[in-house]
Amino acid sequence: MKRKLIAAIGVAGMLVSVAACGSGDGGSSSQKPADRKENLTVWLMGEAQSTWPELVKDVNTEFNKKYPGVKVSVQYQQWADKVKKLDTSLGGDKFPDVVELGNTETMQYILNGALGEIDPKKYENSDTWIKGLKDTCTFEGKTYCVPYYASARLAVYNKDMLKAGTGSDVLPQTEAEFLAAMDKVDAELGKKDKRASSLYFPGRYWYAAMSYVAAYGGKIATYDEGAKEWKGSLSSPESQKGLEHYVNLVKKYNKADQTKDEQDHANVMANEKAAVIYGQAWEAGSVTTGENGNPKLEGKIATAGIPGPEGKALPSFIGGSDLATISKSKVQDLGQEWIALFTNAKGGDVLASKNVLPNNEKQLEPLKTKPETAAIANAVPDAWFTPIAPGWASIEKEEILENLLLEILKGSSVADASKKADDKINALINKKA
């Protein structure tokens, strides 16, 4: 899911006086647990309500055994408006004490001083937290959030469409075989619908494009130890190979509007206009269920690792969520204890039972051989992430990468477009909040 970081109120609003009242009514960590009478407000995303509600219930029950006088209010949010709601609440005196953040959102709030510092030693399995999530919680040697769960992008495909074109509903394991299969599926789809795509790669899907950059050894930016600053590296030979490869795939296989982003690609598949998309595992469910899902495709949608160039699987962007306490909260200690219960090994087992990747390598390991999770679990350890740099939290970074792809798609040379993107990245990425 693309989670745009639109800071509606700016830094000043984030840093409203610590004296402001939070949802707690005057926390007192010096009191005995049984004597505390505060409120603890937790914001979780809707997945927790729909997919693992028993974990939320069990954690609240366990928490209230120690703190019987503390009222825990779990409020479920939606990705579409969570950031706006959070920014608005942080500018006032009613805000959550614990909040779930997408891992691409955390840096913005760390830099704005909105998140409280935590001690990783207080959290189970912190010594094996998945690096891609741990990095999003860490800045200048301090930790500001706790990894919750991980995800990665992979091929989501229509088995019937694949089989109609190739005779098999199993996705090929090498890129050469995979693209040959897409050619056959294209030919078959073209007999009925010239606008249907075998491989639906939108032109502005920068997460997918950067996966191809990573496949060739390129990076969005690298840190120059000598200069003590980040430098855009999309114009490197390796990055240019990845960009060119991706845009060529878009041009060849996307039969629809090539200038779109990936926001509705699950809907495109639900409408039977795509045989393969590159998405997160949960999007396979979105194809068949929900407001825009197509129930007729139930049982026909599968997932698999997507093969990349040079004989390797395509590196995936590490996705997922983190949990943090709000620095203005007067009950941060309670929030930290609640998070510790929610993310312990028992919690990880519940997530794993739902085929959701837990926050640590230890509990991830069994999922690497489980048929339902093998593709995504094996994609996580080698997944890539965006630069952990102050300026990268800006919304402008998406515009830079999307415009880079559009320029190449419309005819600019990869060399010229990537050089221009590097110049913009250099101006953006070293900004301080």
Side-chain angles (χ1 to χ4, degrees):
M1 179 180 295
K2 192 181 220 175
R3 300 161 186 173
K4 294 186 180 289
L5 307 181
I6 303 174
I9 59 172
V11 177
M14 294 285 191
L15 298 176
V16 173
S17 171
V18 175
C21 295
S23 60
D25 297 325
S28 180
S29 59
S30 62
Q31 290 182 334
K32 294 179 181 179
D35 294 336
R36 298 187 66 168
K37 305 294 183 183
E38 295 121 329
N39 297 323
L40 179 71
T41 300
V42 178
W43 279 16
L44 293 178
M45 304 313 296
E47 291 86 349
Q49 182 180 32
S50 62
T51 312
W52 46 92
E54 70 274 29
L55 174 58
V56 180
K57 180 180 178 181
D58 290 347
V59 167
N60 286 341
T61 298
E62 186 67 21
F63 182 85
N64 281 131
K65 287 180 181 178
K66 182 176 181 180
Y67 297 102
V70 174
K71 181 181 178 181
V72 180
S73 173
V74 177
Q75 300 173 4
Y76 296 99
Q77 310 299 320
Q78 300 301 316
W79 289 112
D81 64 354
K82 189 278 303 289
V83 166
K84 184 177 181 180
K85 287 178 64 176
L86 179 60
D87 289 350
T88 300
S89 73
L90 290 174
D93 60 2
K94 293 293 182 181
F95 45 83
D97 304 294
V98 172
V99 63
E100 176 181 346
L101 297 167
N103 65 338
T104 59
E105 297 170 347
T106 56
M107 184 60 68
Q108 179 76 30
Y109 294 103
I110 290 172
L111 294 172
N112 286 338
L115 307 186
E117 185 180 352
I118 63 103
D119 180 0
K121 295 179 181 178
K122 295 181 179 180
Y123 298 87
E124 197 169 354
N125 289 319
S126 61
D127 56 337
T128 61
W129 278 345
I130 292 170
K131 185 179 185 300
L133 291 181
K134 180 180 178 181
D135 286 349
T136 67
C137 288
T138 307
F139 185 67
E140 295 184 342
K142 296 181 179 180
T143 304
Y144 294 90
C145 53
V146 177
Y148 174 13
Y149 66 86
S151 67
R153 284 167 170 78
L154 69 172
V156 180
Y157 69 97
N158 184 311
K159 292 188 291 184
D160 284 357
M161 284 185 178
L162 181 64
K163 189 171 184 178
T166 67
S168 171
D169 63 3
V170 178
L171 207 70
Q173 297 298 299
T174 69
E175 187 179 48
E177 293 171 337
F178 172 63
L179 296 182
M182 293 300 96
D183 291 339
K184 293 177 181 178
V185 173
D186 251 352
E188 188 64 27
L189 290 175
K191 296 176 183 178
K192 301 177 181 178
D193 188 347
K194 298 293 185 183
R195 303 293 290 173
S197 306
S198 58
L199 176 59
Y200 182 74
F201 270 147
R204 290 192 290 126
Y205 192 1
W206 68 266
Y207 287 107
M210 295 306 116
S211 286
Y212 282 92
V213 167
Y216 283 101
K219 294 182 178 180
I220 296 171
T222 57
Y223 188 71
D224 186 327
E225 288 288 352
K228 300 298 181 185
E229 66 178 10
W230 288 85
K231 293 184 178 179
S233 57
L234 288 173
S235 57
S236 71
E238 296 83 3
S239 295
Q240 288 188 50
K241 284 183 181 179
L243 290 168
E244 185 170 20
H245 192 119
Y246 178 73
V247 172
N248 286 341
L249 292 175
V250 174
K251 289 180 177 179
K252 183 174 183 180
Y253 294 107
N254 184 343
K255 308 301 182 183
D257 181 354
Q258 296 181 347
T259 66
K260 294 180 67 175
D261 62 22
E262 80 285 5
Q263 290 294 296
D264 68 344
H265 65 176
N267 294 341
V268 173
M269 175 167 274
N271 290 324
E272 300 183 74
K273 297 291 186 179
V276 180
I277 63 173
Y278 182 55
Q280 300 196 63
W282 59 264
E283 290 184 283
S286 298
V287 174
T288 59
T289 61
E291 183 179 351
N292 297 310
N294 184 350
K296 294 180 181 179
L297 297 180
E298 187 70 41
K300 299 180 180 181
I301 305 302
T303 60
I306 191 167
E310 304 196 336
K312 298 179 181 178
L314 185 67
S316 175
F317 174 81
I318 180 75
S321 281
D322 303 315
L323 293 167
T325 58
I326 297 300
S327 59
K328 295 197 301 181
S329 169
K330 292 186 177 182
V331 289
Q332 281 191 71
D333 62 318
L334 295 178
Q336 291 172 8
E337 284 201 52
W338 191 93
I339 293 172
L341 286 173
F342 196 68
T343 60
N344 65 15
K346 289 182 179 179
D349 285 341
V350 172
L351 295 182
S353 72
K354 309 287 185 179
N355 294 330
V356 175
L357 307 186
N359 65 5
N360 65 92
E361 294 277 3
K362 182 179 179 181
Q363 290 181 293
L364 179 69
E365 197 62 31
L367 300 184
K368 293 180 180 180
T369 55
K370 186 177 179 181
E372 299 90 335
T373 55
I376 189 171
N378 282 289
V380 164
D382 297 323
W384 61 274
F385 195 67
T386 50
I388 308 295
W392 195 255
S394 169
I395 184 63
E396 295 173 57
K397 56 104 166 29
E398 293 186 353
E399 297 172 1
I400 292 172
L401 296 178
E402 289 182 351
N403 288 337
L404 161 67
L405 293 170
L406 284 179
E407 286 189 27
I408 300 172
L409 196 61
K410 292 178 179 180
S412 295
S413 72
V414 175
D416 289 345
S418 59
K419 176 62 169 61
K420 186 187 294 186
D422 275 351
D423 290 342
K424 292 178 180 178
I425 287 172
N426 291 337
L428 168 74
I429 202 168
N430 294 296
K431 285 182 180 178
K432 300 296 182 183

